[in-house]
Amino acid sequence: MGNMKKFMTLCLVALLALATLAAGCGGGDKKDAKTDPKTEKVLRIGTNADFAPFEFQDVNGKEYQGFDMDLIRAVAKEMGYKAEIQNINFDGLIPALEAGNLDVIISGMTINDERKKKVDFSDPYYKSGLSIIVKKDDKSINKFSDLKGKKVAVQIGTTSAMEVKKIEGAEVKEFNSSADTFLELKAGGVDAVVNDRPVNDYYILKSGVTDVRRLEELLTSEDYGIASSKKKPEMKKQIDAALKKLRDNGEYDKIFKKWFGNA
Ligand code: ARG
């Protein structure tokens, strides 16, 4: 009997040793450590995902898509972060960054002096400008100054809102999203929508609307930048370095072509 007991104890020790070895192996595996969500650095990205082709959600409403989304995922990867995207109202983005709830903003956000007081911007990553869309049969609006006396839909907190407010006699109606501005034009609640040109063009191309047109005139020339906190200046440097790398290695061009063709 004594022998049997000894044998059993030995077996147990062997089993324990094996188990420890197996656990040790798993834990020590480099690949596993890298993808472990607890150890990976997360980049908290804020966007307003209603701005195709820069940021939007697919029809099922989950996956974030667009030029900005592809770009920031590539930037985060370069920086060694896992990208975590949050969808918030456009006018809530800078306050969320200032409050420390976000690390970066990418949202077709135009670099301007007012915003520069609150956030750091990366080097410009896209050249844009504002354009107008109107109903096709409305021949009374052909340039920005024609917006005088007209009802104009814009998204809250955007450069469009700022610029249209400068046009004397234009009645500005502000909405939470650019989708809402398009709906308002369709419903006849406004005479025009002012928005970033690529977004207006994408809407006309993809939504199937046939009764609107985009005016040729551009009101502004604007540069988009990725915003980060003034309290973490090294973040801007890392973003710029990542952007430069992506421009140098052709990745930026690949993403650009995917969304804008050769335009
Ligand atoms: N470029 C404009 C701005 O900075 C509009 C950006 C709106 N972006 C968005 N994702 N809704 O004000």
PDB file of all heavy atoms in Angstrom, residues 52-53 133 136 182 197-214 258-261 263:
ATOM      1  N   ALA A  52     -19.438  60.860 -45.000  1.00  0.00           N
ATOM      2  CA  ALA A  52     -18.865  60.046 -46.078  1.00  0.00           C
ATOM      3  C   ALA A  52     -18.317  60.972 -47.169  1.00  0.00           C
ATOM      4  O   ALA A  52     -18.911  62.010 -47.419  1.00  0.00           O
ATOM      5  CB  ALA A  52     -19.946  59.144 -46.668  1.00  0.00           C
ATOM      6  N   PRO A  53     -17.200  60.674 -47.796  1.00  0.00           N
ATOM      7  CA  PRO A  53     -16.423  59.428 -47.708  1.00  0.00           C
ATOM      8  C   PRO A  53     -15.305  59.440 -46.664  1.00  0.00           C
ATOM      9  O   PRO A  53     -14.414  58.600 -46.733  1.00  0.00           O
ATOM     10  CB  PRO A  53     -15.817  59.338 -49.108  1.00  0.00           C
ATOM     11  CG  PRO A  53     -15.527  60.777 -49.454  1.00  0.00           C
ATOM     12  CD  PRO A  53     -16.643  61.573 -48.839  1.00  0.00           C
ATOM     13  N   ILE A 133     -24.838  72.965 -52.313  1.00  0.00           N
ATOM     14  CA  ILE A 133     -25.761  72.246 -53.179  1.00  0.00           C
ATOM     15  C   ILE A 133     -27.164  72.837 -53.048  1.00  0.00           C
ATOM     16  O   ILE A 133     -27.569  73.287 -51.980  1.00  0.00           O
ATOM     17  CB  ILE A 133     -25.773  70.710 -52.987  1.00  0.00           C
ATOM     18  CG1 ILE A 133     -26.043  70.299 -51.554  1.00  0.00           C
ATOM     19  CG2 ILE A 133     -24.490  70.084 -53.427  1.00  0.00           C
ATOM     20  CD1 ILE A 133     -26.100  68.774 -51.419  1.00  0.00           C
ATOM     21  N   LYS A 136     -32.050  71.349 -58.205  1.00  0.00           N
ATOM     22  CA  LYS A 136     -31.717  71.577 -59.611  1.00  0.00           C
ATOM     23  C   LYS A 136     -32.556  72.679 -60.252  1.00  0.00           C
ATOM     24  O   LYS A 136     -32.063  73.470 -61.056  1.00  0.00           O
ATOM     25  CB  LYS A 136     -31.938  70.281 -60.400  1.00  0.00           C
ATOM     26  CG  LYS A 136     -30.649  69.639 -60.849  1.00  0.00           C
ATOM     27  CD  LYS A 136     -30.936  68.405 -61.679  1.00  0.00           C
ATOM     28  CE  LYS A 136     -29.667  67.554 -61.768  1.00  0.00           C
ATOM     29  NZ  LYS A 136     -29.952  66.177 -62.158  1.00  0.00           N
ATOM     30  N   PHE A 182     -28.859  67.375 -45.530  1.00  0.00           N
ATOM     31  CA  PHE A 182     -29.320  66.886 -46.839  1.00  0.00           C
ATOM     32  C   PHE A 182     -30.821  66.580 -46.804  1.00  0.00           C
ATOM     33  O   PHE A 182     -31.546  66.879 -47.754  1.00  0.00           O
ATOM     34  CB  PHE A 182     -28.536  65.628 -47.248  1.00  0.00           C
ATOM     35  CG  PHE A 182     -27.064  65.865 -47.474  1.00  0.00           C
ATOM     36  CD1 PHE A 182     -26.115  64.973 -47.002  1.00  0.00           C
ATOM     37  CD2 PHE A 182     -26.609  66.993 -48.168  1.00  0.00           C
ATOM     38  CE1 PHE A 182     -24.752  65.180 -47.215  1.00  0.00           C
ATOM     39  CE2 PHE A 182     -25.256  67.210 -48.385  1.00  0.00           C
ATOM     40  CZ  PHE A 182     -24.322  66.301 -47.907  1.00  0.00           C
ATOM     41  N   ARG A 197     -16.857  70.112 -49.898  1.00  0.00           N
ATOM     42  CA  ARG A 197     -17.096  69.681 -51.272  1.00  0.00           C
ATOM     43  C   ARG A 197     -17.086  68.163 -51.472  1.00  0.00           C
ATOM     44  O   ARG A 197     -18.021  67.611 -52.072  1.00  0.00           O
ATOM     45  CB  ARG A 197     -16.077  70.343 -52.229  1.00  0.00           C
ATOM     46  CG  ARG A 197     -16.247  69.927 -53.678  1.00  0.00           C
ATOM     47  CD  ARG A 197     -15.029  70.245 -54.529  1.00  0.00           C
ATOM     48  NE  ARG A 197     -13.753  69.884 -53.902  1.00  0.00           N
ATOM     49  CZ  ARG A 197     -13.261  68.644 -53.860  1.00  0.00           C
ATOM     50  NH1 ARG A 197     -13.911  67.653 -54.413  1.00  0.00           N
ATOM     51  NH2 ARG A 197     -12.115  68.406 -53.253  1.00  0.00           N
ATOM     52  N   PRO A 198     -16.067  67.423 -50.954  1.00  0.00           N
ATOM     53  CA  PRO A 198     -16.066  65.979 -51.220  1.00  0.00           C
ATOM     54  C   PRO A 198     -17.280  65.268 -50.623  1.00  0.00           C
ATOM     55  O   PRO A 198     -17.724  64.247 -51.159  1.00  0.00           O
ATOM     56  CB  PRO A 198     -14.786  65.480 -50.535  1.00  0.00           C
ATOM     57  CG  PRO A 198     -14.023  66.671 -50.122  1.00  0.00           C
ATOM     58  CD  PRO A 198     -14.910  67.856 -50.140  1.00  0.00           C
ATOM     59  N   VAL A 199     -17.803  65.820 -49.543  1.00  0.00           N
ATOM     60  CA  VAL A 199     -18.959  65.197 -48.879  1.00  0.00           C
ATOM     61  C   VAL A 199     -20.228  65.478 -49.684  1.00  0.00           C
ATOM     62  O   VAL A 199     -21.060  64.592 -49.891  1.00  0.00           O
ATOM     63  CB  VAL A 199     -19.081  65.691 -47.422  1.00  0.00           C
ATOM     64  CG1 VAL A 199     -20.305  65.115 -46.737  1.00  0.00           C
ATOM     65  CG2 VAL A 199     -17.812  65.327 -46.653  1.00  0.00           C
ATOM     66  N   ASN A 200     -20.350  66.709 -50.175  1.00  0.00           N
ATOM     67  CA  ASN A 200     -21.463  67.033 -51.071  1.00  0.00           C
ATOM     68  C   ASN A 200     -21.423  66.167 -52.326  1.00  0.00           C
ATOM     69  O   ASN A 200     -22.446  65.626 -52.752  1.00  0.00           O
ATOM     70  CB  ASN A 200     -21.392  68.512 -51.483  1.00  0.00           C
ATOM     71  CG  ASN A 200     -21.960  69.432 -50.412  1.00  0.00           C
ATOM     72  OD1 ASN A 200     -22.709  68.987 -49.530  1.00  0.00           O
ATOM     73  ND2 ASN A 200     -21.623  70.701 -50.489  1.00  0.00           N
ATOM     74  N   ASP A 201     -20.240  66.025 -52.907  1.00  0.00           N
ATOM     75  CA  ASP A 201     -20.108  65.249 -54.145  1.00  0.00           C
ATOM     76  C   ASP A 201     -20.461  63.778 -53.914  1.00  0.00           C
ATOM     77  O   ASP A 201     -21.132  63.149 -54.729  1.00  0.00           O
ATOM     78  CB  ASP A 201     -18.684  65.352 -54.700  1.00  0.00           C
ATOM     79  CG  ASP A 201     -18.411  66.734 -55.273  1.00  0.00           C
ATOM     80  OD1 ASP A 201     -19.356  67.556 -55.331  1.00  0.00           O
ATOM     81  OD2 ASP A 201     -17.260  67.008 -55.668  1.00  0.00           O
ATOM     82  N   TYR A 202     -19.982  63.245 -52.802  1.00  0.00           N
ATOM     83  CA  TYR A 202     -20.242  61.840 -52.479  1.00  0.00           C
ATOM     84  C   TYR A 202     -21.736  61.606 -52.288  1.00  0.00           C
ATOM     85  O   TYR A 202     -22.287  60.601 -52.731  1.00  0.00           O
ATOM     86  CB  TYR A 202     -19.470  61.453 -51.218  1.00  0.00           C
ATOM     87  CG  TYR A 202     -19.324  59.960 -51.002  1.00  0.00           C
ATOM     88  CD1 TYR A 202     -18.281  59.258 -51.602  1.00  0.00           C
ATOM     89  CD2 TYR A 202     -20.196  59.258 -50.180  1.00  0.00           C
ATOM     90  CE1 TYR A 202     -18.124  57.905 -51.398  1.00  0.00           C
ATOM     91  CE2 TYR A 202     -20.052  57.894 -49.972  1.00  0.00           C
ATOM     92  CZ  TYR A 202     -19.009  57.220 -50.584  1.00  0.00           C
ATOM     93  OH  TYR A 202     -18.863  55.867 -50.379  1.00  0.00           O
ATOM     94  N   TYR A 203     -22.389  62.573 -51.653  1.00  0.00           N
ATOM     95  CA  TYR A 203     -23.838  62.478 -51.434  1.00  0.00           C
ATOM     96  C   TYR A 203     -24.572  62.425 -52.774  1.00  0.00           C
ATOM     97  O   TYR A 203     -25.426  61.563 -52.998  1.00  0.00           O
ATOM     98  CB  TYR A 203     -24.311  63.672 -50.597  1.00  0.00           C
ATOM     99  CG  TYR A 203     -25.817  63.839 -50.568  1.00  0.00           C
ATOM    100  CD1 TYR A 203     -26.631  62.921 -49.903  1.00  0.00           C
ATOM    101  CD2 TYR A 203     -26.423  64.921 -51.211  1.00  0.00           C
ATOM    102  CE1 TYR A 203     -28.008  63.072 -49.889  1.00  0.00           C
ATOM    103  CE2 TYR A 203     -27.798  65.079 -51.198  1.00  0.00           C
ATOM    104  CZ  TYR A 203     -28.589  64.144 -50.543  1.00  0.00           C
ATOM    105  OH  TYR A 203     -29.942  64.300 -50.537  1.00  0.00           O
ATOM    106  N   ILE A 204     -24.212  63.325 -53.674  1.00  0.00           N
ATOM    107  CA  ILE A 204     -24.880  63.368 -54.980  1.00  0.00           C
ATOM    108  C   ILE A 204     -24.620  62.082 -55.763  1.00  0.00           C
ATOM    109  O   ILE A 204     -25.509  61.518 -56.393  1.00  0.00           O
ATOM    110  CB  ILE A 204     -24.448  64.616 -55.786  1.00  0.00           C
ATOM    111  CG1 ILE A 204     -25.000  65.873 -55.099  1.00  0.00           C
ATOM    112  CG2 ILE A 204     -24.907  64.524 -57.239  1.00  0.00           C
ATOM    113  CD1 ILE A 204     -24.541  67.185 -55.702  1.00  0.00           C
ATOM    114  N   LEU A 205     -23.397  61.578 -55.649  1.00  0.00           N
ATOM    115  CA  LEU A 205     -23.006  60.369 -56.369  1.00  0.00           C
ATOM    116  C   LEU A 205     -23.688  59.115 -55.819  1.00  0.00           C
ATOM    117  O   LEU A 205     -24.130  58.253 -56.574  1.00  0.00           O
ATOM    118  CB  LEU A 205     -21.482  60.215 -56.256  1.00  0.00           C
ATOM    119  CG  LEU A 205     -20.802  59.248 -57.197  1.00  0.00           C
ATOM    120  CD1 LEU A 205     -20.812  59.801 -58.609  1.00  0.00           C
ATOM    121  CD2 LEU A 205     -19.364  58.983 -56.739  1.00  0.00           C
ATOM    122  N   LYS A 206     -23.774  59.013 -54.497  1.00  0.00           N
ATOM    123  CA  LYS A 206     -24.168  57.741 -53.878  1.00  0.00           C
ATOM    124  C   LYS A 206     -25.608  57.655 -53.392  1.00  0.00           C
ATOM    125  O   LYS A 206     -26.120  56.558 -53.198  1.00  0.00           O
ATOM    126  CB  LYS A 206     -23.254  57.434 -52.681  1.00  0.00           C
ATOM    127  CG  LYS A 206     -21.783  57.262 -53.038  1.00  0.00           C
ATOM    128  CD  LYS A 206     -21.518  55.884 -53.613  1.00  0.00           C
ATOM    129  CE  LYS A 206     -20.094  55.818 -54.135  1.00  0.00           C
ATOM    130  NZ  LYS A 206     -19.651  54.465 -54.435  1.00  0.00           N
ATOM    131  N   SER A 207     -26.246  58.792 -53.138  1.00  0.00           N
ATOM    132  CA  SER A 207     -27.546  58.710 -52.480  1.00  0.00           C
ATOM    133  C   SER A 207     -28.688  58.431 -53.447  1.00  0.00           C
ATOM    134  O   SER A 207     -29.793  58.099 -53.033  1.00  0.00           O
ATOM    135  CB  SER A 207     -27.836  60.013 -51.754  1.00  0.00           C
ATOM    136  OG  SER A 207     -28.059  61.029 -52.699  1.00  0.00           O
ATOM    137  N   GLY A 208     -28.400  58.592 -54.745  1.00  0.00           N
ATOM    138  CA  GLY A 208     -29.458  58.368 -55.722  1.00  0.00           C
ATOM    139  C   GLY A 208     -30.363  59.580 -55.928  1.00  0.00           C
ATOM    140  O   GLY A 208     -31.325  59.510 -56.685  1.00  0.00           O
ATOM    141  N   VAL A 209     -30.041  60.705 -55.263  1.00  0.00           N
ATOM    142  CA  VAL A 209     -30.854  61.909 -55.499  1.00  0.00           C
ATOM    143  C   VAL A 209     -30.617  62.389 -56.922  1.00  0.00           C
ATOM    144  O   VAL A 209     -29.496  62.333 -57.439  1.00  0.00           O
ATOM    145  CB  VAL A 209     -30.519  63.095 -54.546  1.00  0.00           C
ATOM    146  CG1 VAL A 209     -31.068  62.883 -53.162  1.00  0.00           C
ATOM    147  CG2 VAL A 209     -29.044  63.420 -54.559  1.00  0.00           C
ATOM    148  N   THR A 210     -31.670  62.867 -57.543  1.00  0.00           N
ATOM    149  CA  THR A 210     -31.509  63.329 -58.921  1.00  0.00           C
ATOM    150  C   THR A 210     -31.882  64.796 -59.058  1.00  0.00           C
ATOM    151  O   THR A 210     -31.630  65.403 -60.091  1.00  0.00           O
ATOM    152  CB  THR A 210     -32.403  62.509 -59.875  1.00  0.00           C
ATOM    153  OG1 THR A 210     -33.737  62.510 -59.342  1.00  0.00           O
ATOM    154  CG2 THR A 210     -31.910  61.083 -60.006  1.00  0.00           C
ATOM    155  N   ASP A 211     -32.476  65.364 -58.003  1.00  0.00           N
ATOM    156  CA  ASP A 211     -33.005  66.722 -58.138  1.00  0.00           C
ATOM    157  C   ASP A 211     -32.131  67.789 -57.466  1.00  0.00           C
ATOM    158  O   ASP A 211     -32.596  68.883 -57.197  1.00  0.00           O
ATOM    159  CB  ASP A 211     -34.433  66.790 -57.587  1.00  0.00           C
ATOM    160  CG  ASP A 211     -34.507  66.441 -56.108  1.00  0.00           C
ATOM    161  OD1 ASP A 211     -33.550  65.804 -55.599  1.00  0.00           O
ATOM    162  OD2 ASP A 211     -35.500  66.809 -55.455  1.00  0.00           O
ATOM    163  N   VAL A 212     -30.868  67.465 -57.179  1.00  0.00           N
ATOM    164  CA  VAL A 212     -29.975  68.486 -56.622  1.00  0.00           C
ATOM    165  C   VAL A 212     -28.713  68.629 -57.474  1.00  0.00           C
ATOM    166  O   VAL A 212     -28.348  67.735 -58.226  1.00  0.00           O
ATOM    167  CB  VAL A 212     -29.564  68.184 -55.152  1.00  0.00           C
ATOM    168  CG1 VAL A 212     -30.766  68.032 -54.246  1.00  0.00           C
ATOM    169  CG2 VAL A 212     -28.670  66.957 -55.074  1.00  0.00           C
ATOM    170  N   ARG A 213     -28.091  69.800 -57.353  1.00  0.00           N
ATOM    171  CA  ARG A 213     -26.825  70.001 -58.069  1.00  0.00           C
ATOM    172  C   ARG A 213     -25.847  70.735 -57.168  1.00  0.00           C
ATOM    173  O   ARG A 213     -26.243  71.486 -56.277  1.00  0.00           O
ATOM    174  CB  ARG A 213     -27.039  70.768 -59.383  1.00  0.00           C
ATOM    175  CG  ARG A 213     -27.527  72.190 -59.175  1.00  0.00           C
ATOM    176  CD  ARG A 213     -27.970  72.848 -60.478  1.00  0.00           C
ATOM    177  NE  ARG A 213     -28.649  74.116 -60.165  1.00  0.00           N
ATOM    178  CZ  ARG A 213     -28.064  75.298 -60.239  1.00  0.00           C
ATOM    179  NH1 ARG A 213     -26.819  75.401 -60.647  1.00  0.00           N
ATOM    180  NH2 ARG A 213     -28.727  76.395 -59.893  1.00  0.00           N
ATOM    181  N   ARG A 214     -24.545  70.503 -57.460  1.00  0.00           N
ATOM    182  CA  ARG A 214     -23.495  71.159 -56.697  1.00  0.00           C
ATOM    183  C   ARG A 214     -22.970  72.327 -57.514  1.00  0.00           C
ATOM    184  O   ARG A 214     -22.696  72.177 -58.698  1.00  0.00           O
ATOM    185  CB  ARG A 214     -22.364  70.169 -56.424  1.00  0.00           C
ATOM    186  CG  ARG A 214     -21.431  70.618 -55.331  1.00  0.00           C
ATOM    187  CD  ARG A 214     -20.050  71.033 -55.748  1.00  0.00           C
ATOM    188  NE  ARG A 214     -19.221  70.021 -56.351  1.00  0.00           N
ATOM    189  CZ  ARG A 214     -18.096  70.352 -56.988  1.00  0.00           C
ATOM    190  NH1 ARG A 214     -17.733  71.618 -57.114  1.00  0.00           N
ATOM    191  NH2 ARG A 214     -17.350  69.413 -57.503  1.00  0.00           N
ATOM    192  N   LYS A 258      -8.224  54.483 -52.962  1.00  0.00           N
ATOM    193  CA  LYS A 258      -9.385  53.661 -52.604  1.00  0.00           C
ATOM    194  C   LYS A 258     -10.642  54.539 -52.485  1.00  0.00           C
ATOM    195  O   LYS A 258     -11.723  54.148 -52.929  1.00  0.00           O
ATOM    196  CB  LYS A 258      -9.117  52.939 -51.285  1.00  0.00           C
ATOM    197  CG  LYS A 258     -10.300  52.174 -50.736  1.00  0.00           C
ATOM    198  CD  LYS A 258      -9.925  51.406 -49.474  1.00  0.00           C
ATOM    199  CE  LYS A 258     -11.160  50.913 -48.733  1.00  0.00           C
ATOM    200  NZ  LYS A 258     -10.815  50.370 -47.402  1.00  0.00           N
ATOM    201  N   TRP A 259     -10.505  55.730 -51.941  1.00  0.00           N
ATOM    202  CA  TRP A 259     -11.692  56.564 -51.674  1.00  0.00           C
ATOM    203  C   TRP A 259     -11.934  57.653 -52.703  1.00  0.00           C
ATOM    204  O   TRP A 259     -13.066  58.104 -52.867  1.00  0.00           O
ATOM    205  CB  TRP A 259     -11.603  57.170 -50.270  1.00  0.00           C
ATOM    206  CG  TRP A 259     -11.725  56.095 -49.236  1.00  0.00           C
ATOM    207  CD1 TRP A 259     -10.700  55.519 -48.525  1.00  0.00           C
ATOM    208  CD2 TRP A 259     -12.910  55.386 -48.874  1.00  0.00           C
ATOM    209  NE1 TRP A 259     -11.190  54.518 -47.726  1.00  0.00           N
ATOM    210  CE2 TRP A 259     -12.550  54.429 -47.917  1.00  0.00           C
ATOM    211  CE3 TRP A 259     -14.255  55.493 -49.252  1.00  0.00           C
ATOM    212  CZ2 TRP A 259     -13.470  53.551 -47.332  1.00  0.00           C
ATOM    213  CZ3 TRP A 259     -15.176  54.638 -48.672  1.00  0.00           C
ATOM    214  CH2 TRP A 259     -14.780  53.691 -47.728  1.00  0.00           C
ATOM    215  N   PHE A 260     -10.886  58.105 -53.375  1.00  0.00           N
ATOM    216  CA  PHE A 260     -11.066  59.245 -54.297  1.00  0.00           C
ATOM    217  C   PHE A 260     -10.613  58.928 -55.722  1.00  0.00           C
ATOM    218  O   PHE A 260     -10.620  59.817 -56.566  1.00  0.00           O
ATOM    219  CB  PHE A 260     -10.295  60.466 -53.780  1.00  0.00           C
ATOM    220  CG  PHE A 260     -10.681  60.842 -52.378  1.00  0.00           C
ATOM    221  CD1 PHE A 260      -9.805  60.628 -51.321  1.00  0.00           C
ATOM    222  CD2 PHE A 260     -11.943  61.389 -52.109  1.00  0.00           C
ATOM    223  CE1 PHE A 260     -10.177  60.961 -50.017  1.00  0.00           C
ATOM    224  CE2 PHE A 260     -12.308  61.720 -50.812  1.00  0.00           C
ATOM    225  CZ  PHE A 260     -11.433  61.517 -49.763  1.00  0.00           C
ATOM    226  N   GLY A 261     -10.219  57.703 -55.974  1.00  0.00           N
ATOM    227  CA  GLY A 261      -9.727  57.368 -57.293  1.00  0.00           C
ATOM    228  C   GLY A 261      -8.464  58.153 -57.593  1.00  0.00           C
ATOM    229  O   GLY A 261      -7.650  58.355 -56.699  1.00  0.00           O
ATOM    230  N   ALA A 263      -8.456  61.292 -58.487  1.00  0.00           N
ATOM    231  CA  ALA A 263      -8.799  62.718 -58.425  1.00  0.00           C
ATOM    232  C   ALA A 263      -7.749  63.530 -57.672  1.00  0.00           C
ATOM    233  O   ALA A 263      -7.173  63.058 -56.725  1.00  0.00           O
ATOM    234  CB  ALA A 263     -10.143  62.893 -57.748  1.00  0.00           C
TER     235      ALA A 263
END
